[in-house]
Amino acid sequence: MRGGVYGEQPLPQHPPAPPRQEGAETRQLSSPARAGAGLLAGFPEALSPKEEGEEEEEEEEEDRRRSPRPVTFTLGNEVLGLSPDTEFQSPDAEVYMHFMRSHCCYDAIPTSCKLVVFDTSLEIKKAFVALVANGVRAAPLWDSKTQSFVGMLTITDFINILHRYYRSPLVQIYEVEEHKIETWREVYLQGSFKPLVYISPSNSLFDAVYSLIKHKIHRLPVIEPISGNVLHILTHKRILKFLHIFGSTIPKPRFLKKTVQELCVGTFRDVAVVPESAPIYTALEIFVDRRVSALPVVNDAGQVVGLYSRFDVIHLAAQKTYNNLDISVREALRQRTVCLEGVLTCYPHETMEDIIDRIAKEQVHRLVLVDENQYPRGIISLSDILQALVLTPAGID
């Protein structure tokens, strides 16, 4: 499960760094039994989700200071001109690896940020509405019984709930809304609980990149080992932004001048896309079956006209339209109250440096690789880039 509500054993920990508390905004949402009606009681009936990068823009300022089935395509090696990993094995290719090893996770934590924490006794519906209202994609889960963090609630969970119960003859979707988070965890995980994947602030950013990619997760809680407090949620985007801003002083490796076609960074085989005429439920099926985070949306001619991501699904909670998953992807994108990532593209002849600059500047999670006719040819994601910049030079595939 990508993201979701379980993890694995944490990385070995180094001596703890001093906790950073200044300006940190932490909100814990509990059940009505613990906190009256809870924070959600005052929410308006209709919520407009915050733009995905809203809180991240604040951090950047701080830094400166049935129906159609899933469609796949395959691009052959001879078209891409795939090359071996030798470009990433030269001595100058290791500069980003050494940079990440010389900086700890604490260095990448902004001095002021938003952190939302859910108690596992909170109702599922209120939790997802709270994610939307706060413009965040995930929240650590606190178990009052064990007095510990036990997992993460993410948009992946919302997608899994919709996919599991939308067409269930036994359970109506509105019944699931009343479930508590702990009930969903028990039903979905069926006793296979695993420890939360997290990292210490004193661990290196190299360790963070390794943990994110190895466990195929998008969010890594930074937990202070003495107090047990969550200080921040590290993401691929935050780490690349840190590298992009503070790594500008180090020499650039030669492979940055190579093209995507020469380096073969990204996914080019069997990449899933979704027709714009397909229902939303089809997109959910692909998210669950293929464990992908976003789908290029194509028109009848097969050209890329949009991007439907996991984060878009949370709008169904905000607009209370998750009882109708038969609307088309085209209509769902049209109903978005805010413009999120949109679809940003790149071409095989563009250099790695240009692609990194574009992703960092636009604050997106991926670029769709297209040809001159706007036909999809691949996906280049943040994890692909961090794998190439940091792990591959270290000999880690």
Side-chain angles (χ1 to χ4, degrees), residues 292-308:
V292 295
S293 335
L295 295 168
V297 180
V298 297
N299 59 19
D300 293 338
Q303 298 166 310
V304 176
V305 294
L307 188 74
Y308 193 74

Side-chain angles (χ1 to χ4, degrees), residues 24 63 83-84 94 147 162 182 194 259 271-272 318 345 350 366:
D63 290 330
S83 65
E94 298 178 353
Q147 290 291 295
L162 292 180
E182 58 191 0
K194 297 180 182 179
T259 67
V271 177
T345 58
E350 292 189 270
R366 65 199 60 79

Side-chain angles (χ1 to χ4, degrees), residues 225-346:
I226 297 178
S227 67
N229 291 332
V230 177
L231 304 182
H232 189 58
I233 307 295
L234 270 182
T235 63
H236 300 88
K237 182 188 287 187
R238 181 67 193 170
I239 293 174
L240 186 65
K241 182 188 293 184
F242 180 83
L243 177 62
H244 193 253
I245 294 174
F246 298 104
S248 57
T249 57
I250 61 179
K252 293 182 179 180
R254 286 171 295 178
F255 68 74
L256 288 183
K257 298 300 182 182
K258 297 281 186 177
T259 67
V260 179
Q261 181 168 327
E262 292 172 318
L263 296 176
C264 190
V265 173
T267 301
F268 308 100
R269 301 181 184 88
D270 200 26
V271 177
V273 301
V274 64
E276 59 179 349
S277 59
I280 291 297
Y281 190 79
T282 295
L284 298 188
E285 286 183 312
I286 305 175
F287 285 143
V288 173
D289 295 341
R290 299 289 299 275
R291 296 177 64 182
V292 295
S293 335
L295 295 168
V297 180
V298 297
N299 59 19
D300 293 338
Q303 298 166 310
V304 176
V305 294
L307 188 74
Y308 193 74
S309 71
R310 286 175 178 264
F311 190 70
D312 289 313
V313 179
I314 204 68
H315 287 68
L316 301 175
Q319 299 165 357
K320 299 185 178 180
T321 55
Y322 46 81
N323 283 322
N324 181 18
L325 301 182
D326 294 317
I327 65 170
S328 68
V329 173
R330 180 196 300 113
E331 183 62 26
L333 292 177
R334 188 180 297 130
Q335 290 179 2
R336 280 199 303 213
T337 54
V338 291
C339 179
L340 299 178
E341 288 191 357
V343 55
L344 288 174
T345 58
C346 62

Side-chain angles (χ1 to χ4, degrees), residues 182-193:
E182 58 191 0
T183 306
W184 162 245
R185 282 167 52 81
E186 290 169 0
V187 170
Y188 184 74
L189 298 180
Q190 298 180 339
S192 61
F193 294 102

Side-chain angles (χ1 to χ4, degrees), residues 244 252 352-362:
H244 193 253
K252 293 182 179 180
M352 186 72 173
E353 184 174 23
D354 289 339
I355 286 173
I356 293 173
D357 288 342
R358 186 175 309 153
I359 282 185
K361 178 183 177 182
E362 300 293 341

Side-chain angles (χ1 to χ4, degrees), residues 121-291:
S121 59
L122 185 68
E123 290 180 4
I124 281 282
K125 181 178 181 179
K126 291 182 177 180
F128 288 122
V129 171
L131 287 182
V132 176
N134 286 279
V136 296
R137 292 172 174 242
L141 296 176
W142 175 259
D143 189 330
S144 298
K145 300 183 185 71
T146 62
Q147 290 291 295
S148 63
F149 289 101
V150 294
M152 296 281 290
L153 187 76
T154 73
I155 295 171
T156 297
D157 293 300
F158 184 59
I159 292 173
N160 286 331
I161 288 173
L162 292 180
H163 181 257
R164 184 175 184 132
Y165 293 110
Y166 180 65
R167 292 182 173 169
S168 170
L170 302 177
V171 181
Q172 297 297 316
I173 193 71
Y174 66 83
E175 296 177 28
V176 181
E177 294 177 352
E178 309 303 323
H179 284 181
K180 295 179 180 179
I181 295 175
E182 58 191 0
T183 306
W184 162 245
R185 282 167 52 81
E186 290 169 0
V187 170
Y188 184 74
L189 298 180
Q190 298 180 339
S192 61
F193 294 102
K194 297 180 182 179
L196 171 68
V197 175
Y198 67 93
I199 199 165
S200 166
S202 59
N203 277 116
S204 71
L205 285 174
F206 180 91
D207 292 338
V209 171
Y210 177 75
S211 187
L212 283 166
I213 294 179
K214 174 188 175 183
H215 298 294
K216 297 182 180 178
I217 56 178
H218 289 155
R219 277 150 194 85
L220 183 64
V222 181
I223 297 183
E224 206 284 311
I226 297 178
S227 67
N229 291 332
V230 177
L231 304 182
H232 189 58
I233 307 295
L234 270 182
T235 63
H236 300 88
K237 182 188 287 187
R238 181 67 193 170
I239 293 174
L240 186 65
K241 182 188 293 184
F242 180 83
L243 177 62
H244 193 253
I245 294 174
F246 298 104
S248 57
T249 57
I250 61 179
K252 293 182 179 180
R254 286 171 295 178
F255 68 74
L256 288 183
K257 298 300 182 182
K258 297 281 186 177
T259 67
V260 179
Q261 181 168 327
E262 292 172 318
L263 296 176
C264 190
V265 173
T267 301
F268 308 100
R269 301 181 184 88
D270 200 26
V271 177
V273 301
V274 64
E276 59 179 349
S277 59
I280 291 297
Y281 190 79
T282 295
L284 298 188
E285 286 183 312
I286 305 175
F287 285 143
V288 173
D289 295 341
R290 299 289 299 275
R291 296 177 64 182

